[in-house]
Amino acid sequence: MSKYSINENGYYGEFGGAYVPEILRKNVVELKENYLKIMGDPQFQAEFNQLLHDYVGRPTALYHANRLSKKYGANIYLKREDLCHTGAHKLNNALGQILLARRLGKTRIVAETGAGQHGVATATVCALMNMECVVYMGETDVKRQFLNVQRMKMLGATVVPVMSGNRTLKDGTNEAIRDWCCNPANTHYIIGSVVGPDPYPDMVARFQSVISEEIKKQLQEQTGRDYPDHLLACIGGGSNAAGTFYHYIENEKVRLYAAEAAGLGLEDPEKSAATIHLGREGILHGSRSLVMMDEDGQITEPYSISAGLDYPGVGPMHAYLAKVGRTKVLAITDAEAMTAALELTKLEGIIPAIESAHALAMLPKLKFGKDETVVITVSGRGDKDMNTYANYFKLA
Ligand SMILES: *Cc1c(COP(=O)(O)O)cnc(C)c1O
């Protein structure tokens, strides 16, 4: 085991653990005792891999972005998670978890969602597997992300608007956990990122690790070497970054960069979602990590133009990797992300999700050698963000 892996108690350094109400202890233990066994079962792997291929559309392309490369003076490749079915990397994890839930005999799924992407991915796999699906979503987000609400409903999910707190992702998550507490026997909670109590962070990272598994193969084919010099991803909870970094964490020749959302800047914590820069150690949604909180320890409402990055916590793995210096974390403002989104659109004809644009916005802030290889994960496509883009760029 390496210094970067999770330990048997579910900690990355001092971050992680399983802080759950007594009533969920049994579920969390059941998951912990079974997830590696089930994921390692050849039959499970065969079914998962087949669906990743035929249903999700994997492997996703690793695309050499010519004009972007010219502009930044390096060999830049895009890992195209935007090409996944439903528009983002989230389906990799939702699919893996529902297959696992079925093997544990669960018949009902609950999930939280903020921007609605994880809710859509979960509703999608529930339709596929014919399972009951309840998605908790803050009422503010229900209004902001109406298209995704309609998608979830068409897919057969029940979308419950949550009226507590600021009525956003944190509140949806609280409510999903509450539901799980009431229905522990038949229900599995599909968490959408590398957050939550042990073993979720590690389980989700493993389901997303297909991203770096493919990058290795594809880079080898395209460049004759299976690792890049620089590897870039954005972080909300951190699942696309975890998947992007997974098979490279031990290879110290690969420099890892994560972009978190600075919103309007780091000066005002109420206008930012840069948890690693601004957060303090605390417990949120079942694990110890960095958390945005006020002086009294109350969780604060983060802000970012990107609905998928405004989470007040971050996966314990990322809190740890940043702390020990394995990753370099950059805070990207709304304006920087929007500029990067427009640049990718104009140079390569790819409209990224605003979340992904945060990763792209690191390019002008980093220095690359001329022959160096850079891989950026484009976590999702921009369709869901067209209203925001249209208003921001005043597209007629
Ligand atoms: C949800 C989402 C994110 C943020 O979640 P992570 O767990 O940090 O990956 C990033 N990009 C897109 C497109 C998303 O939908």
Side-chain angles (χ1 to χ4, degrees):
M1 199 158 74
S2 95
K3 60 180 169 175
Y4 300 122
S5 329
I6 196 161
N7 70 21
E8 66 267 29
N9 297 320
Y11 283 87
Y12 303 89
E14 67 265 52
F15 301 110
Y19 299 82
V20 294
E22 202 48 41
I23 190 152
L24 286 181
R25 174 78 37 202
K26 208 169 141 236
N27 287 59
V28 169
V29 168
E30 180 189 36
L31 257 188
K32 176 143 175 126
E33 284 175 350
N34 289 290
Y35 82 109
L36 290 177
K37 242 183 286 174
I38 293 174
M39 288 173 77
D41 173 28
Q43 259 181 322
F44 178 90
Q45 281 178 6
E47 187 177 14
F48 183 45
N49 289 332
Q50 186 87 47
L51 283 167
L52 284 177
H53 184 271
D54 300 341
Y55 189 74
V56 180
R58 308 204 70 91
T60 58
L62 182 72
Y63 164 67
H64 184 258
N66 277 306
R67 296 182 65 202
L68 206 60
S69 295
K70 202 163 281 170
K71 168 142 194 195
Y72 290 102
N75 289 308
I76 300 177
Y77 292 82
L78 306 178
K79 181 57 174 165
R80 299 287 310 278
E81 293 302 295
D82 58 310
L83 298 176
C84 289
H85 178 41
T86 71
H89 65 292
K90 295 234 166 58
L91 197 58
N92 305 326
N93 166 52
L95 181 63
Q97 282 200 50
I98 202 165
L99 293 176
L100 202 139
R102 218 175 42 173
R103 282 179 196 233
L104 292 173
K106 307 294 179 187
T107 55
R108 181 174 176 273
I109 298 294
V110 294
E112 83 297 339
T113 198
Q117 287 302 106
H118 175 58
V120 168
T122 303
T124 298
V125 296
C126 285
L128 181 71
M129 297 293 159
N130 190 25
M131 281 215 218
E132 185 188 345
C133 181
V134 182
V135 179
Y136 291 91
M137 186 172 189
E139 193 240 4
T140 308
D141 290 333
V142 169
K143 286 192 194 133
R144 284 196 293 199
Q145 308 290 334
F146 197 61
L147 183 65
N148 276 341
V149 174
Q150 289 171 319
R151 291 168 84 192
M152 286 184 263
K153 288 187 171 167
M154 184 160 172
L155 288 158
T158 304
V159 181
V160 181
V162 176
M163 312 300 272
S164 58
N166 290 69
R167 307 182 178 185
T168 60
L169 177 58
K170 160 178 71 69
D171 313 296
T173 307
N174 287 337
E175 229 22 66
I177 293 173
R178 216 161 283 152
D179 178 309
W180 198 26
C181 288
C182 297
N183 303 283
N186 69 344
T187 298
H188 174 73
Y189 175 23
I190 299 191
I191 295 183
S193 191
V194 285
V195 299
D198 176 51
Y200 277 101
D202 184 56
M203 179 172 69
V204 176
R206 285 170 188 264
F207 282 135
Q208 293 292 0
S209 70
V210 64
I211 299 173
S212 50
E213 195 181 308
E214 288 175 6
I215 295 173
K216 277 185 100 165
K217 228 180 268 167
Q218 291 166 320
L219 268 186
Q220 181 68 45
E221 282 164 16
Q222 294 185 39
T223 71
R225 198 183 78 177
D226 75 352
Y227 63 91
D229 299 291
H230 308 269
L231 193 50
L232 284 59
C234 67
I235 292 195
S239 68
N240 86 87
T244 300
F245 298 164
Y246 198 88
H247 291 289
Y248 292 115
I249 288 180
E250 309 299 329
N251 183 350
E252 311 257 0
K253 280 180 274 190
V254 182
R255 271 155 286 179
L256 308 178
Y257 306 91
E260 57 177 9
L264 299 184
L266 293 177
E267 300 72 30
D268 183 355
E270 296 194 355
K271 300 273 161 41
S272 178
T275 314
I276 294 175
H277 281 84
L278 299 174
R280 289 188 285 135
E281 286 189 28
I283 291 166
L284 178 65
H285 299 143
S287 65
R288 170 173 288 281
S289 187
L290 294 170
V291 182
M292 303 278 277
M293 53 175 109
D294 64 19
E295 278 156 25
D296 301 329
Q298 293 296 318
I299 311 298
T300 56
E301 185 64 18
Y303 163 79
S304 160
I305 194 168
S306 155
L309 299 183
D310 63 356
Y311 181 63
V314 65
M317 164 190 186
H318 294 295
Y320 178 68
L321 291 178
K323 180 159 185 177
V324 298
R326 179 66 187 97
T327 53
K328 186 166 167 45
V329 182
L330 276 65
I332 301 296
T333 64
D334 288 357
E336 289 165 340
M338 296 305 266
T339 301
L342 192 59
E343 178 178 87
L344 186 73
T345 304
K346 300 270 186 200
L347 288 181
E348 301 288 346
I350 297 169
I351 303 178
I354 302 177
E355 292 87 354
S356 319
H358 285 71
L360 292 154
M362 289 193 282
L363 284 173
K365 295 174 179 266
L366 301 174
K367 288 240 173 339
F368 308 121
K370 189 163 74 54
D371 297 318
E372 287 189 321
T373 300
V374 179
V375 173
I376 309 171
T377 292
V378 180
S379 53
R381 66 180 86 125
D383 302 26
K384 69 181 173 64
D385 297 316
M386 280 319 299
N387 271 336
T388 311
Y389 283 142
N391 288 334
Y392 191 90
F393 296 121
K394 307 200 165 33
L395 309 172

